[in-house]
Amino acid sequence: MSTDFLSERINNMATSATLAMAAKARELKAEGRDIIGLSLGEPDFNIPDFIKEAAKEAIDQNYSSYSPVDGYADLKQAIANKFKRDNNLDYGLDQIVVSTGAKQSLANVAMAMINEGDEVVLPAPYWVSYSDIVKLAGGVPVEVPTSIDTDFKMTAQQLEDAITPKTKMLWFSSPCNPSGSVYSKEELESLAAVLRNHPGIFVVSDEIYEHINFTGGHVSIAAIEGMYDRTITVNGVSKAFAMTGWRIGFIGAPAWIAKATNKFQGQVTSGANSIAQRATIAALEAPKEKIQYMIDEFHKRRDLVLGLLGEIEGFNLNIPEGAFYVFPDISSFFGKTIDGMQINNASDFSLFLLEKANVATVTGEAFGNPNCIRISYAASEAELKEAIARIKKALS
Ligand code: PMP
Ligand code: GLU
């Protein structure tokens, strides 16, 4: 028996590079290697106590049956209130679907909307799973390369040039994983102006890092003229509330799209975890001040990491305005041999850091940018300082 017996679908799918690197780092640690893991985008904070309390109450109140497939009505109401409060978006309860993480929300949308051969524009760098989720649904990812010179953001002209008669969707995240870039209102308006001339194109706006934004201003593209009826706004609680393992994400979308994703979800998962849904109500109803300490801490760490990496020759950095990643362009190392290891691309560089500095990062190739690596700074200040000191030493 061999993998020949597996589906072409799975054989053609890449393993999630973020999760693979995290697994590798865990494995090396278990073998006794002193690895600092900066590969996974996962807050290192504990879940705030008020959210834990809500989950404990839900257990005691016997929230143990299947929930409605699209989520509890009062959770959807809390999500609708959140969209209104934070994003100036009016979504009715029939426009909201709660899922097992934003990752599942994205997969639901892909399965509900993409036909074989439909093109999906992905400004690169894009989040690692977009291209494989799109391909799983039969879609064709159309990567639009950006570089550090434009702060890794796609321009209106680039979007226009990428559109063909087969273009079905545009998927992007802001704040962006992996670049940390945040699209301003003006930039989103210029993309919207292009899309208004192409009425058949839908937008997936992944706003999971909404609150981890150091510019202070998050704008949802769905709130821009002409976009509401064709945008799926994706969000969740993994990042801002440090709830990655609780697996709750959600969408706000036109009702007919929400209904279709709900139909799909009803056949594959029956909906999200009941206890985590109850806890999410507490998370979303809390004033933002309750999570501000984590955002302030990420901001501090970003400045620390930018300062320290900036001292290493060959690291070319943008200033990420959100999320918790830096995405340095390290192409100046290509073609060099350092400490016996030949570095020809970003994967080699990431491997070099793992082997010689005991620091786990993720190659930019996984995000559609072969010149960069992603470093997550969702780690303690001490770990970050030690990791960067090791990187510096390994390179010198
Ligand atoms: N979108 C982006 C941009 C992400 O970084 C992540 C990270 N996990 C997700 C979606 C999925 O989040 P979740 O944990 O809610 O599935
Ligand atoms: N989104 C995080 C990351 O990019 C978590 C891992 C994952 O979901 O792939 O690292």
Side-chain angles (χ1 to χ4, degrees):
M1 293 289 160
S2 78
T3 51
D4 293 349
F5 288 90
L6 295 172
S7 67
E8 282 175 32
R9 189 182 307 114
I10 204 72
N11 280 335
N12 290 337
M13 182 187 264
T15 300
S16 161
T18 46
L19 299 183
M21 192 48 140
K24 172 115 187 140
R26 246 181 248 132
E27 198 181 292
L28 293 175
K29 264 190 198 168
E31 286 169 12
R33 285 259 305 267
D34 173 23
I35 302 289
I36 301 180
L38 304 183
S39 57
L40 199 58
E42 164 156 81
D44 56 322
F45 296 103
N46 289 325
I47 296 180
D49 285 342
F50 72 95
I51 302 175
K52 289 188 201 163
E53 288 310 319
K56 289 177 198 165
E57 270 169 38
I59 293 172
D60 289 338
Q61 289 167 1
N62 296 308
Y63 276 95
S64 47
S65 315
Y66 290 122
S67 73
V69 173
D70 52 349
Y72 290 115
D74 50 353
L75 170 56
K76 292 203 297 169
Q77 187 59 57
I79 292 168
N81 297 346
K82 171 255 166 311
F83 275 130
K84 183 71 191 158
R85 181 189 67 212
D86 300 338
N87 313 108
N88 199 23
L89 289 171
D90 282 299
Y91 286 122
L93 299 201
D94 60 342
Q95 295 180 270
I96 290 167
V97 177
V98 181
S99 299
T100 303
K103 200 180 250 182
Q104 198 205 348
S105 301
L106 291 163
N108 286 352
V109 171
M111 296 309 272
M113 296 211 59
I114 296 172
N115 279 317
E116 204 64 38
D118 284 348
E119 292 180 358
V120 177
V121 174
L122 303 181
Y126 48 80
W127 182 47
V128 63
S129 292
Y130 290 172
S131 66
D132 275 283
I133 291 175
V134 164
K135 284 193 252 175
L136 182 66
V140 179
V142 174
E143 297 185 17
V144 176
T146 68
S147 74
I148 194 164
D149 305 324
T150 55
D151 190 24
F152 298 109
K153 286 187 255 188
M154 178 176 67
T155 62
Q157 189 60 49
Q158 284 182 301
L159 173 59
E160 183 71 64
D161 294 346
I163 291 172
T164 76
K166 289 191 168 168
T167 307
K168 178 72 177 277
M169 306 189 89
L170 158 68
W171 286 31
F172 76 110
S173 62
S174 177
C176 173
N177 178 1
S179 68
S181 306
V182 175
Y183 281 84
S184 68
K185 184 157 189 268
E186 293 68 35
E187 286 162 342
L188 292 175
E189 269 168 354
S190 69
L191 298 181
V194 173
L195 293 168
R196 280 196 291 272
N197 292 329
H198 300 276
I201 300 178
F202 293 82
V203 179
V204 164
S205 177
D206 182 344
E207 303 182 14
I208 193 149
Y209 295 97
E210 169 184 16
H211 293 304
I212 306 170
N213 178 333
F214 317 127
T215 68
H218 175 82
V219 180
S220 295
I221 195 167
I224 290 174
E225 190 200 330
M227 291 296 110
Y228 178 79
D229 287 332
R230 45 147 99 189
T231 299
I232 298 103
T233 307
V234 177
N235 212 320
V237 289
S238 283
K239 311 295 171 176
F241 299 94
M243 289 170 69
T244 46
W246 293 41
R247 313 302 307 124
I248 297 289
F250 49 85
I251 61 165
W256 59 276
I257 295 177
K259 192 171 167 194
T261 67
N262 189 37
K263 179 164 134 188
F264 177 71
Q265 179 159 295
Q267 292 287 20
V268 297
T269 67
S270 306
N273 175 287
S274 58
I275 305 301
Q277 285 193 56
R278 303 309 301 168
T280 298
I281 298 177
L284 295 180
E285 285 182 343
K288 199 178 158 210
E289 292 74 64
K290 287 219 172 189
I291 54 165
Q292 190 61 40
Y293 67 97
M294 293 189 266
I295 297 157
D296 292 343
E297 188 59 33
F298 286 133
H299 195 167
K300 234 172 73 191
R301 292 177 193 175
R302 181 205 64 175
D303 292 344
L304 173 80
V305 165
L306 280 183
L308 293 174
L309 285 178
E311 289 169 11
I312 303 178
E313 205 176 323
F315 274 64
N316 190 10
L317 291 145
N318 69 322
I319 299 182
E321 293 180 324
F324 35 59
Y325 309 103
V326 289
F327 198 60
D329 183 316
I330 41 75
S331 55
S332 63
F333 294 99
F334 298 173
K336 293 189 177 159
T337 302
I338 310 173
D339 199 4
M341 280 181 83
Q342 173 78 29
I343 294 168
N344 288 328
N345 51 47
S347 299
D348 289 346
F349 192 79
S350 180
L351 195 64
F352 169 85
L353 295 183
L354 187 65
E355 291 302 326
K356 304 289 183 184
N358 283 333
V359 175
T361 58
V362 185
T363 173
E365 277 154 11
F367 305 93
N369 183 314
N371 291 329
C372 299
I373 57 163
R374 190 188 78 174
I375 299 175
S376 161
Y377 57 83
S380 72
E381 208 173 295
E383 278 181 309
L384 292 169
K385 282 184 182 158
E386 171 64 17
I388 298 170
R390 288 186 193 178
I391 293 173
K392 198 169 178 180
K393 186 153 170 257
L395 288 169
S396 61

